[in-house]
Amino acid sequence: MTHRISDIAAALGLAARGDASLTVSGLAEPASARADELALAMRPDYAEGLAAGQARAAMLWADADWQSFGLKAAILAPRPRFAMAGLSAMMDPGAGYAPGIHPTAVVDPEAELGRDVSVGPLAVISKGARIGAGSVIGPHCFIGWDAEIGADALLHAGVRIGARVRIAERFIAHPGAAVGADGFSFVTPEPSGVEKARASLGAEGTTKAQSWARIHSLGSVEIGSDVELGANSCIDRGTVRDTRVGDGCKFDNLVQIGHNVVIGRDCLICAQVGVAGSSRIGDNVVLGGQSGVSDNLVIGDRAILGGASVVLSNVPAGRMMLGYPAVKMDTHVESYKGLRRLPRLFRDVAALKKAVSKLTGND
């Protein structure tokens, strides 16, 4: 499928320059772009690659001298990376899921499917499940008993949605994601070594072996609209009340959200993040890759955790954190600088000690 430069610019609300009647069929990096592709030269250093490619048109920054790059047309964007959101949506060919219900799919007679729902091969939709109009249930997906998924959802291959889970409109789940597994809740007849270690700050631990009794998860999961869940990520159901995720949250791959967690709106949660049970995450929070939040904590609105940070106490709104245990980002940076200076400090102290010893005659 081809698009005219003028149509792309108009759809994105941007300015087109040069021969806007030129057509392109895809996107490419500048150095590898063909003549029928729109080069993404969104910064001056990217634009240097235009000379090696064959692109006739490119997306550039707002005040770029597009003609100096030998282009015939250009789209100028004040924030090119944001323009990429709409541009990539226009150019996305999709995953190729066929319309209708595949003959190998198992759809319970008491399930409710809205208009134009697509159900792929070997998918299972359980009794009482409700699927909104225009949704795509990919191959090998499972939708549990009495689960509800809003309109225009896209579930890629192998997604699992547990019983009684409620998900609003435009949900996207990538392969292997699971929503509504039981929480990790176990207890011993008497206080366990973990409880003792926590209460005593490590002074006391396990003194005798005990078996673990399972606490069943009676709650479920409630997810707002426009949420995206990465591949092999998991959101566990609550113990009694529901685990909740607000509108607009985006999860990367391999994220674990524990039971009873409450997450606000428009949070960005990166790869391999773990949030332990009953913690509360505010609105517009960013959790960097491999960061962790201990249980029963509160992360305030707009807080940012740098990659691999581990939070062991509450985080105020707007605070930027880094490290293990996580501290204010500037404090961590200063501590790291001090750590790097230690070898030089040791050498200086040794030299000073040697000089003092000579002066005092104690060498």
Side-chain angles (χ1 to χ4, degrees):
M1 184 176 181
T2 60
H3 302 267
R4 291 189 302 179
I5 296 298
S6 59
D7 294 336
I8 295 173
L12 300 176
L14 300 175
R17 298 288 186 265
D19 183 3
S21 66
L22 279 177
T23 60
V24 293
S25 59
L27 310 176
E29 294 183 352
S32 59
R34 303 190 306 265
D36 65 338
E37 293 178 316
L38 181 69
L40 301 177
M42 298 184 291
R43 296 197 322 232
D45 52 337
Y46 290 171
E48 295 174 1
L50 287 168
Q54 300 175 343
R56 299 180 297 164
M59 175 177 281
L60 302 165
W61 58 100
D63 58 352
D65 181 7
W66 64 274
Q67 291 174 308
S68 68
F69 298 111
L71 299 168
K72 294 185 177 181
I75 298 173
L76 305 182
R79 184 163 163 75
R81 184 164 172 80
F82 180 74
M84 270 286 292
L87 180 59
S88 60
M90 293 176 64
M91 297 294 184
D92 189 352
Y97 296 125
I101 300 175
H102 194 274
T104 63
V106 178
V107 180
D108 190 276
E110 296 187 34
E112 298 177 15
L113 273 59
R115 178 176 49 83
D116 297 328
V117 169
S118 168
V119 183
L122 302 174
V124 176
I125 300 179
S126 302
K127 178 180 179 180
R130 297 171 296 283
I131 312 297
S135 294
V136 175
I137 309 301
H140 292 272
C141 287
F142 174 83
I143 312 298
W145 166 61
D146 205 30
E148 181 176 350
I149 300 174
D152 299 313
L154 173 57
L155 274 59
H156 290 284
V159 171
R160 275 44 173 168
I161 306 297
R164 308 184 308 283
V165 168
R166 297 183 303 283
I167 302 174
E169 297 80 9
R170 297 175 297 279
F171 177 65
I172 298 175
H174 293 276
V179 179
D182 279 2
F184 191 68
S185 300
F186 298 89
V187 66
T188 52
E190 299 175 2
S192 68
V194 174
E195 295 173 84
K196 293 177 181 179
R198 186 166 187 168
S200 65
L201 298 180
E204 186 179 5
T206 301
T207 56
K208 64 178 181 179
Q210 297 187 65
S211 298
W212 297 95
R214 187 174 189 273
I215 297 176
H216 288 248
S217 297
L218 306 181
S220 192
V221 179
E222 180 181 342
I223 295 178
S225 58
D226 299 299
V227 171
E228 185 158 349
L229 188 58
N232 294 318
S233 291
C234 303
I235 302 177
D236 288 349
R237 64 177 62 248
T239 306
V240 177
R241 59 178 170 83
D242 292 348
T243 301
R244 300 202 306 272
V245 176
D247 298 344
C249 289
K250 313 299 182 187
F251 298 83
D252 199 356
N253 301 335
L254 297 169
V255 169
Q256 162 64 23
I257 305 299
H259 60 278
N260 300 342
V261 168
V262 176
I263 299 177
R265 297 172 54 95
D266 295 312
C267 294
L268 192 68
I269 300 180
C270 302
Q272 297 183 352
V273 164
V275 179
S278 299
S279 284
R280 301 179 67 90
I281 311 297
D283 297 338
N284 299 105
V285 170
V286 176
L287 304 182
Q290 293 188 326
S291 60
V293 178
S294 190
D295 61 287
N296 292 281
L297 297 183
V298 176
I299 308 298
D301 297 346
R302 305 178 311 284
I304 298 174
L305 269 61
S309 298
V310 178
V311 172
L312 302 178
S313 58
N314 295 339
V315 175
R319 181 67 57 84
M320 290 174 284
M321 306 286 286
L322 190 63
Y324 178 22
V327 296
K328 290 178 63 177
M329 192 171 288
D330 55 355
T331 300
H332 176 84
V333 171
E334 287 303 312
S335 298
Y336 182 65
K337 288 179 180 178
L339 186 64
R340 293 186 63 184
R341 296 187 187 109
L342 282 178
R344 184 176 61 189
L345 178 62
F346 290 153
R347 290 194 297 269
D348 291 346
V349 169
L352 181 61
K353 182 179 179 180
K354 186 175 182 180
V356 170
S357 296
K358 287 183 177 180
L359 288 174
T360 60
N362 294 326
D363 58 339

